[in-house]
Amino acid sequence: MEINFAKLEKKWQNKWEKEKVFEVDMDSKKKKFYCLEMFPYPSSQGLHMGHALNFAMGDILARYKRMQGFNVLYPMGFDALGLPAENAAIKANKHPKPFTQNAEKNYIRQMKELGLSYDWSKTLTTMSPEYYKWDQYFFLKFYKAGLIYQKKAPVNWCPKCNTVLANEQVQGGKCWRHEDTNIDIKHLNQWYLKTTKYADELLKDLEKIDWPEKIKTMQKNWIGKSHGTEINFKINNETWPIFTTRPDTIYGVTFMVVSAAHEKLIDLVTPKQQPEIKKFLKEVNSVSEKDLANLEKKGVFTGSYAINPITNEKIPVYAGNFVVADYGSGMVMAVPAHDQRDFEFAKKYKIEIEVVIKNPNSKEIEITRTKTGNITRTKELDKAYTGNGNLIASEQFSGMDNENAKKEITKYLTQKKLGKKQIQYKLRDWGFSRQRYWGAPIPIINCKTCGIVAVPEKDLPIILPEKVTFGKGNPLTTNKEWIRTKCPKCNGEAKRETETMDTFFDSSWYFLRYPDNKNSKKPFDKKIINEWLPADQYIGGAEHACMHLIYARFFTKALRDLKFLDFDEPFSALFNQGMLHGPDGEKMSKSKGNIINPDDISAKYGMDTARYFLFSIAETEKDRDWSEDGIKSALKFINKILNTYKEVEKGKSSQKYETLLNKTIIGVTKDIEEFKYRKATIKLKELFDALAKEKSVSRETLEKSLQLLNPICPHITEELWEKLGNKDFICKSVWPKAKKTQKNTKKENITEKLISQINQLLEKVKDKENLFIYVMPFELEKIDLKKISSKINKKIKIFATNNKEKYDPENKSKKAKPGMPSIYLE
Ligand code: ANZ
Ligand code: ZN
Ligand code: ZN
């Protein structure tokens, strides 16, 4: 039988929409589940099957959770502001506003056609003044709290983008969008968010969240906590505190290197060295640290010398391209014998190399300094020795093992007031101002008399002017009418700030707006978002590990401290999905011409077929290729289901099938919970293949089988459900329960029960911080403590009732029963 999939799908999509089946009930007493996907930038090219794969991942989970009895919030919105939208609009010779609005409309249409069960009543777009008003509002709150400041700093400037770029937007000294364009370094006044204030908490709280280890590691490295010592060197009678993780090598310092982008570099350059330095600076073109690591190390002597505070030696100061301007003090004490980077530099510029840590594996000491300045050479080094060993040629510290020497030398320096212990983070404050049009205007006014003045809250939003000319530079700087304004303080002539916020500012908090998206008085209601967040599941690409996923965590913590919300982390769980490649195995993109268009697929194979196919070919986190043969075989399977139904008589099925069904219920439930969708498709195929062989089947059995398939194939299962005579939607039915429960589900149950028990109690007592749980000894391992901590934001301790050491001042443990732990709060 030929099935008109497009027609069948449309029928159900219309019904879902008309009956508002996916709209969340904000007042429901049911358990909540917030299923969140990274919102897209609405590209004018529309969605392709790769996007369909991403979004269907959350859709399957949302549908499944609804059937599990959760009150599910599953929203979708648009990251509509930002440079890509502006550039695309300019290229199409259109204004970004209508251009982006059209793209959004098209996205919504396509998302509906994919069968995605979004609650469109909760949508938002960052380009609407109702949204970016709150960007500006948060700017003011952060500014007042000292979390936003302006500073002049070296920045990456792309002459083609005509804007500052973030460090992560520079690759190999080139713009990420213009691979042929070298970055310039400019010293500009920029707006910064003090992300560093939360560096330690951002690091520590990674332990609290159920995120892929890979992302956690990336964030750890990005935050880059480093324990070291700050040592005060004197240069031209000025003190330069120098950060080092190797104070044990202080006797081996033979030169210093100051960052080429350092603001004070010019003060260090003697007149004689100026021409050479100027030439050198022209060649340096990135302030991104990642970049610096891969460059060929280069430097030029500044003409100045530093005094080593421990040896009083005179040490030449170089300017170098590999030193980061705003890490530590932007200058390093170089120890070529024990640092490979310094070693290469020293070899290149023929600088002394002095061994101060003895390599225990090497018989000879290659170069020894017996006394300051008195060097004996036995053999040339061919590389730096970076391992541990005992100190040599280090006066009273000689002979000490170097780990111990780190402490002793730091202690000595501290006593002499020549240094101190120091912690450094790689994480930088986030420069978020952009010299572009399509972003939220920064709510600042520049007055000749009063200086920088914050726009009063009542004057928000500052709306982007529609009349602008694109071309050279920032279009806002040429709109004189918009710029001219009155100073809120002295009422005198003043000018608006023409910089706009980076699009990552908008996306740092959009998930807080969804649950209360229509609030016109506040960005969101505290009580509502305390109920809905942290989001239970966040789904999106790993490429955001060190940008969006750090900024969103920072916003959450900063807003918590400003009393906007009461939780520490935005997303309890994170999942990084794999990507869909074209039939050629390449990343899907229009320029490669390998796009698979959902409209075509729907007409030819049906969206359910496509969804089933996409998840059957690879595990959820893996990449996969589109294949025409693959989808054809998926189509056979879907047709079989549709046709089997007709042959099924309403009777009783075999015991064998019932047993398989029960096993499948347990299996598919677990697979969806664990994002193992491929495993679920395999089990479902097995189930429906067996069903096709059954002579007769009871209505209940058939219904259960269809329910299991529903999250993956939402349209055809609705159709068959209706054919069985059901009046309501299958997507609103209750997920089937297995007859015999397994251990695993028990663990799930007791944990879930405990969570709701705790929540009930917490409704009555709010102000307690510590939670103690008492369980029967044999139940201790059945409780998923990690899950509880992800849902309940308290310090939690768990004890078996027979534990003699347990803390139990009110004898609550006596009340615990099997399946019913007891709780104590204080
Ligand atoms: C002397 C030394 C000797 C160092 C040695 C290392 C090995 P992390 O772990 O990354 O914090 N450093 C300090 N400031 C820098 C900057 N602005 N740009 C580039 N490098 C900088 O590493 C800290 C080490 O990186 C410091 O310890 C310093 O070099 C260098 F055998 O000091 B070390
Ligand atoms: Zn560029
Ligand atoms: Zn003024």
Side-chain angles (χ1 to χ4, degrees):
M1 189 194 61
E2 271 288 303
I3 292 147
N4 186 338
F5 284 110
K7 197 172 143 203
L8 185 152
E9 286 162 8
K10 195 90 218 135
K11 167 182 162 186
W12 288 102
Q13 287 157 9
N14 287 342
K15 280 191 185 223
W16 292 330
E17 187 162 350
K18 200 166 142 237
E19 310 262 337
K20 305 186 161 128
V21 288
F22 304 128
E23 283 191 14
V24 63
D25 173 6
M26 295 307 276
D27 303 321
S28 165
K29 289 278 165 298
K30 286 197 283 187
K31 279 173 290 175
K32 297 171 180 57
F33 190 86
Y34 188 176
C35 182
L36 180 70
E37 286 159 354
M38 289 182 183
F39 69 163
Y41 145 62
S43 148
S44 61
Q45 302 178 352
L47 296 176
H48 56 61
M49 263 343 255
H51 301 109
L53 171 75
N54 293 350
F55 298 133
M57 251 171 233
D59 185 58
I60 291 172
L61 183 67
R63 288 175 176 275
Y64 162 80
K65 286 285 178 185
R66 283 190 203 102
M67 291 172 84
Q68 279 282 14
F70 285 87
N71 187 25
V72 174
L73 172 62
Y74 181 44
M76 179 45 72
F78 299 101
D79 190 12
L81 291 174
L83 198 49
E86 182 173 341
N87 286 347
I90 294 172
K91 210 169 155 199
N93 201 13
K94 302 231 164 68
H95 189 283
K97 188 175 164 186
F99 184 78
T100 314
Q101 272 168 340
N102 270 340
E104 281 183 7
K105 269 199 210 114
N106 190 37
Y107 261 51
I108 295 173
R109 175 188 65 81
Q110 283 191 306
M111 285 171 164
K112 287 180 179 168
E113 285 171 7
L114 291 169
L116 303 172
S117 63
Y118 294 129
D119 177 355
W120 288 107
S121 74
K122 291 287 176 203
T123 192
L124 59 83
T125 172
T126 56
M127 68 187 267
S128 99
E130 285 94 71
Y131 184 86
Y132 68 68
K133 168 180 178 172
W134 304 114
D135 281 331
Q136 296 170 339
Y137 174 85
F138 286 138
F139 179 103
L140 296 175
K141 295 285 176 200
F142 288 157
Y143 184 58
K144 232 166 118 186
L147 284 171
I148 282 183
Y149 65 95
Q150 206 181 22
K151 81 168 175 207
K152 194 163 179 186
V155 290
N156 307 297
W157 177 272
C158 171
K160 278 223 180 115
C161 291
N162 257 314
T163 184
V164 165
L165 298 180
N167 280 348
E168 47 282 0
Q169 295 170 329
V170 181
Q171 282 142 15
K174 317 252 183 210
C175 171
W176 67 334
R177 295 196 192 88
H178 301 109
E179 283 162 28
D180 56 343
T181 305
N182 277 334
I183 296 304
D184 295 336
I185 293 177
K186 287 199 180 186
H187 283 82
L188 289 179
N189 238 341
Q190 292 287 290
W191 290 97
Y192 285 85
L193 261 164
K194 233 186 220 168
T195 34
T196 52
K197 184 176 170 201
Y198 288 91
D200 216 27
E201 204 192 331
L202 287 167
L203 188 67
K204 223 175 55 215
D205 281 357
L206 285 172
E207 277 169 34
K208 279 194 193 166
I209 46 184
D210 179 15
W211 283 23
E213 275 315 311
K214 189 182 80 183
I215 302 283
K216 288 194 189 183
T217 308
M218 285 166 85
Q219 290 210 348
K220 265 180 214 157
N221 292 339
W222 187 255
I223 296 165
K225 185 175 185 174
S226 210
H227 295 266
T229 305
E230 207 176 72
I231 303 179
N232 298 334
F233 284 73
K234 278 238 155 58
I235 308 175
N236 306 334
N237 280 327
E238 211 186 310
T239 303
W240 284 72
I242 304 297
F243 179 70
T244 175
T245 45
R246 297 291 307 271
D248 53 322
T249 63
I250 179 84
Y251 286 87
V253 180
T254 55
F255 60 103
M256 312 289 283
V257 187
V258 62
S259 167
H262 204 291
E263 256 202 311
K264 279 165 47 183
L265 163 63
I266 244 33
D267 304 346
L268 299 175
V269 183
T270 54
K272 189 172 155 245
Q273 290 304 102
Q274 269 184 16
E276 218 183 321
I277 289 273
K278 278 204 181 117
K279 203 174 120 224
F280 172 63
L281 290 185
K282 280 215 181 98
E283 295 167 20
V284 182
N285 56 6
S286 173
V287 297
S288 155
E289 184 174 347
K290 216 173 44 236
D291 252 37
L292 300 182
N294 304 320
L295 292 177
E296 193 204 331
K297 289 137 205 84
K298 283 190 198 153
V300 170
F301 181 45
T302 60
S304 286
Y305 290 87
I307 306 295
N308 182 331
I310 233 170
T311 65
N312 286 319
E313 277 172 311
K314 242 176 101 179
I315 301 159
V317 180
Y318 285 72
N321 64 348
F322 59 89
V323 179
V324 185
D326 57 352
Y327 185 66
S329 53
M331 189 188 296
V332 300
M333 57 176 235
V335 185
H338 303 292
D339 182 280
Q340 189 56 27
R341 183 178 68 180
D342 298 347
F343 181 83
E344 285 162 25
F345 194 91
K347 280 272 174 199
K348 188 165 178 173
Y349 297 105
K350 307 210 162 34
I351 308 171
E352 238 28 280
I353 298 172
E354 297 180 1
V355 176
V356 290
I357 310 284
K358 185 172 165 10
N359 179 350
N361 300 320
S362 131
K363 282 190 206 84
E364 309 166 72
I365 301 166
E366 288 89 350
I367 301 167
T368 311
R369 189 173 57 168
T370 43
K371 225 171 77 200
T372 307
N374 197 353
I375 296 162
T376 323
R377 261 165 237 274
T378 51
K379 195 181 139 202
E380 284 289 310
L381 284 181
D382 53 9
K383 63 176 196 301
Y385 173 65
T386 56
N388 288 329
N390 290 346
L391 266 62
I392 50 176
S394 301
E395 292 180 334
Q396 73 262 42
F397 303 101
S398 299
M400 218 179 253
D401 81 79
N402 73 304
E403 282 305 327
N404 200 20
K406 282 182 186 172
K407 288 186 205 122
E408 290 304 319
I409 290 177
T410 304
K411 212 160 103 192
Y412 175 83
L413 289 167
T414 312
Q415 276 165 7
K416 302 246 162 190
K417 297 211 169 16
L418 296 170
K420 60 172 198 283
K421 251 198 188 150
Q422 177 79 3
I423 290 174
Q424 280 289 338
Y425 295 92
K426 289 266 148 60
L427 186 75
R428 278 333 118 63
D429 283 345
W430 170 28
F432 66 94
S433 47
R434 298 288 178 267
Q435 296 70 39
R436 293 297 294 244
Y437 168 71
W438 197 230
I442 287 177
I444 287 289
I445 287 169
N446 297 297
C447 168
K448 274 207 193 94
T449 347
C450 315
I452 292 175
V453 182
V455 172
E457 263 172 42
K458 64 168 177 42
D459 294 344
L460 299 183
I462 298 164
I463 297 183
L464 272 174
E466 298 214 1
K467 263 197 8 235
V468 277
T469 17
F470 295 98
K472 265 214 156 266
N474 176 359
L476 289 181
T477 53
T478 51
N479 188 323
K480 298 280 177 272
E481 215 174 302
W482 182 80
I483 292 178
R484 198 180 316 127
T485 185
K486 288 257 163 343
C487 169
K489 263 195 190 157
C490 70
N491 208 30
E493 286 284 312
K495 282 182 173 170
R496 285 197 188 286
E497 174 66 270
T498 54
E499 309 225 321
T500 55
M501 301 184 206
D502 183 16
T503 163
F504 280 114
F505 199 100
D506 315 321
S507 58
S508 293
W509 68 279
Y510 74 103
F511 47 88
L512 301 173
R513 177 76 177 167
Y514 280 140
D516 196 18
N517 64 337
K518 297 192 182 67
N519 200 327
S520 58
K521 306 230 155 53
K522 289 186 270 185
F524 42 75
D525 183 86
K526 184 173 180 176
K527 202 167 145 253
I528 293 176
I529 65 154
N530 277 345
E531 268 175 51
W532 280 98
L533 279 113
D536 299 276
Q537 184 65 56
Y538 198 22
I539 302 170
E543 69 275 18
H544 288 292
C546 298
M547 295 193 265
H548 165 60
L549 287 172
I550 288 209
Y551 303 146
R553 295 183 62 217
F554 162 79
F555 258 64
T556 304
K557 291 172 190 307
L559 290 177
R560 175 202 61 203
D561 290 348
L562 295 174
K563 306 275 185 283
F564 279 94
L565 44 86
D566 291 330
F567 43 93
D568 304 315
E569 286 288 333
F571 322 119
S572 309
L574 173 71
F575 186 80
N576 299 127
Q577 79 275 23
M579 279 212 304
L580 178 66
H581 294 158
D584 51 358
E586 297 273 334
K587 191 180 161 185
M588 242 184 223
S589 79
K590 201 165 187 179
S591 60
K592 292 213 173 75
N594 62 356
I595 296 269
I596 303 294
N597 186 335
D599 298 330
D600 300 341
I601 295 306
S602 167
K604 230 161 129 187
Y605 303 103
M607 210 40 88
D608 288 355
T609 308
R611 288 169 62 125
Y612 178 85
F613 163 67
L614 286 173
F615 291 110
S616 67
I617 48 176
E619 255 331 329
T620 335
E621 69 279 5
K622 298 262 162 59
D623 291 352
R624 65 209 67 201
D625 299 342
W626 181 266
S627 116
E628 209 64 22
D629 288 344
I631 191 151
K632 278 185 185 138
S633 91
L635 179 62
K636 266 196 211 134
F637 174 61
I638 296 295
N639 272 327
K640 187 181 199 170
I641 298 172
L642 287 162
N643 292 318
T644 306
Y645 165 78
K646 300 207 328 184
E647 286 155 23
V648 166
E649 294 173 19
K650 293 176 186 135
K652 218 171 149 0
S653 46
S654 67
Q655 190 52 48
K656 199 173 145 211
Y657 186 77
E658 290 300 324
T659 311
L660 177 65
L661 174 61
N662 209 48
K663 216 177 97 193
T664 311
I665 295 175
I666 295 167
V668 170
T669 305
K670 187 164 172 277
D671 294 342
I672 297 185
E673 290 275 356
E674 293 172 357
F675 273 114
K676 299 282 182 213
Y677 294 174
R678 178 173 137 85
K679 283 191 177 162
T681 60
I682 293 168
K683 294 189 178 97
L684 288 164
K685 176 131 186 357
E686 204 189 333
L687 183 75
F688 281 92
D689 282 347
L691 181 67
K693 295 197 190 105
E694 288 292 298
K695 289 220 169 55
S696 67
V697 63
S698 75
R699 178 189 164 119
E700 195 194 340
T701 299
L702 182 54
E703 284 186 351
K704 281 186 186 166
S705 310
L706 290 173
Q707 285 175 310
L708 294 178
L709 183 64
N710 172 260
I712 298 177
C713 300
H715 305 91
I716 60 161
T717 46
E718 288 287 5
E719 185 72 13
L720 296 176
W721 184 257
E722 186 188 53
K723 280 201 180 142
L724 281 172
N726 287 300
K727 292 274 172 293
D728 210 347
F729 297 91
I730 188 172
C731 64
K732 287 170 82 176
S733 68
V734 179
W735 189 252
K737 280 207 169 55
K739 292 223 174 73
K740 206 172 53 196
T741 47
Q742 266 194 341
K743 253 195 188 157
N744 260 326
T745 23
K746 251 191 199 149
K747 177 169 176 176
E748 190 62 41
N749 282 345
I750 185 162
T751 305
E752 289 291 354
K753 242 163 80 186
L754 190 55
I755 291 174
S756 78
Q757 195 185 337
I758 297 169
N759 274 327
Q760 274 172 20
L761 212 101
L762 287 178
E763 276 185 22
K764 286 177 227 147
V765 267
K766 282 231 162 67
D767 54 339
K768 310 274 165 127
E769 269 173 38
N770 295 299
L771 177 69
F772 301 90
I773 301 169
Y774 310 96
V775 290
M776 306 308 287
F778 63 93
E779 284 179 328
L780 195 56
E781 62 160 18
K782 291 189 188 149
I783 289 181
D784 188 346
L785 192 60
K786 214 168 123 197
K787 184 153 185 194
I788 300 180
S789 349
S790 77
K791 299 269 159 82
I792 309 249
N793 185 17
K794 303 270 169 211
K795 285 191 194 114
I796 303 172
K797 281 217 170 94
I798 187 159
F799 298 106
T801 47
N802 66 350
N803 181 342
K804 292 208 176 70
E805 315 282 343
K806 66 178 177 289
Y807 179 72
D808 186 13
E810 292 192 3
N811 245 327
K812 293 273 188 201
S813 61
K814 286 239 159 62
K815 297 214 168 119
K817 290 188 204 74
M820 207 33 172
S822 59
I823 302 162
Y824 171 63
L825 281 156
E826 74 168 3

